[in-house]
Amino acid sequence: MNTPDQSETPTRQRAGGGQIRKKSTADSGTYGGLSDLDVAVVTKRDEEGERLIRGLQSLRSRVNHIWPVPEQIPVENDVVFCDLIDDLPRRLPWIPGEPGAALVILVHGNLPIDFKLLHSCAPHAVLMLPATIQAVQCNLIIAREHFMYERRLRGRVEKLDENLRTMRSVERAKTILMHSKSLSEDEAYHHLRRLAMEKRTTIGAVATAVVDSHELLG
């Protein structure tokens, strides 16, 4: 596997010169919006690295070259192309399954592939070097699409979890009101709903307040 040359000082610069602009994490387009992407390339700037950088620049993406591999892979980029090194999983600054950027692993054609290590990195795409411009473009698109799809799924899961917590709080609050105010289940629910309207908040927030107050007063 390629390993960082410890004799080299880490550098981070816009390939071709210029300042790096930190962009927001707002969704960029994919096929027509590749020029809106910030792409980090973490590999030696040898012939293969230069070809990769030129391929990305031809797509009008903003390319940031970084070498050697930093202790922590930057997440202020939309997509990261990075060499597969032995301790790369440790250098990824995100929880497995919750990536901060789309990750494309770079595999050099003359080196053996550690598939267990590759699996541990959970990349969104794998690019074999040297690569054609078409291969670079395909991997960029696929990695970005996979990343955005994962993020949408996480958003849905988080929303479902939030709804489930709200339902549990409402059920618990109804039980408390039924016992403390001698209300029926429907009356307890309407009581919570009326309080939510009066306070201009959600029924979930009111239910949580009822439960917290009950537990506090014990």
Side-chain angles (χ1 to χ4, degrees):
M1 297 300 164
N2 286 5
T3 57
D5 185 346
Q6 299 302 324
S7 65
E8 296 181 79
T9 301
T11 60
R12 188 157 175 236
Q13 61 188 26
R14 176 81 65 205
Q19 298 293 320
I20 295 176
R21 180 183 66 82
K22 183 174 181 180
K23 76 189 291 294
S24 70
T25 56
D27 293 359
S28 299
T30 50
Y31 310 102
L34 294 178
S35 60
D36 294 329
L37 298 179
D38 283 328
V39 181
V41 175
V42 188
T43 190
K44 283 186 177 181
R45 198 154 183 169
D46 53 15
E47 183 178 350
E48 290 182 352
E50 286 290 351
R51 185 181 294 112
L52 171 60
I53 289 172
R54 289 197 301 269
L56 290 167
Q57 288 175 332
S58 71
L59 301 173
R60 302 181 66 183
S61 296
R62 292 180 293 270
V63 182
N64 310 322
H65 178 252
I66 304 170
W67 189 257
V69 183
E71 277 299 308
Q72 189 172 86
I73 300 300
V75 294
E76 62 267 29
N77 296 278
D78 298 299
V79 185
V80 176
F81 286 74
C82 185
D83 278 355
L84 181 62
I85 62 172
D86 293 338
D87 63 344
L88 183 57
R90 177 184 65 80
R91 298 174 187 248
L92 298 175
W94 50 68
I95 300 172
E98 298 182 12
L103 177 63
V104 181
I105 292 295
L106 300 176
V107 176
H108 297 260
N110 60 335
L111 296 174
I113 302 174
D114 185 337
F115 291 102
K116 183 176 181 180
L117 175 62
L118 187 65
H119 180 267
S120 298
C121 296
H124 299 91
V126 178
L127 179 63
M128 184 74 72
L129 297 178
T132 65
I133 292 179
Q134 289 86 351
V136 172
Q137 182 175 15
C138 287
N139 275 267
L140 180 61
I141 292 173
I142 290 171
R144 182 63 174 168
E145 286 287 355
H146 285 180
F147 173 75
M148 298 305 297
Y149 178 68
E150 285 182 355
R151 193 161 74 173
R152 289 194 298 271
L153 285 182
R154 289 198 303 274
R156 292 173 184 174
V157 170
E158 290 171 0
K159 184 64 176 179
L160 289 173
D161 286 343
E162 180 183 348
N163 291 341
L164 183 58
R165 287 193 296 270
T166 296
M167 291 174 60
R168 288 174 175 170
S169 293
V170 170
E171 291 301 314
R172 176 65 175 147
K174 285 195 305 182
T175 300
I176 292 171
L177 292 175
M178 288 167 63
H179 285 86
S180 63
K181 296 182 176 293
S182 300
L183 301 177
S184 67
E185 183 175 355
D186 285 344
E187 289 172 337
Y189 176 79
H190 287 298
H191 181 73
L192 291 172
R193 187 175 181 182
R194 184 171 64 254
L195 287 175
M197 294 176 64
E198 292 174 356
K199 301 295 183 180
R200 294 185 178 180
T201 187
T202 64
I203 190 171
V206 171
T208 299
V210 170
V211 173
D212 290 346
S213 297
H214 178 75
E215 292 178 349
L216 180 65
L217 299 176

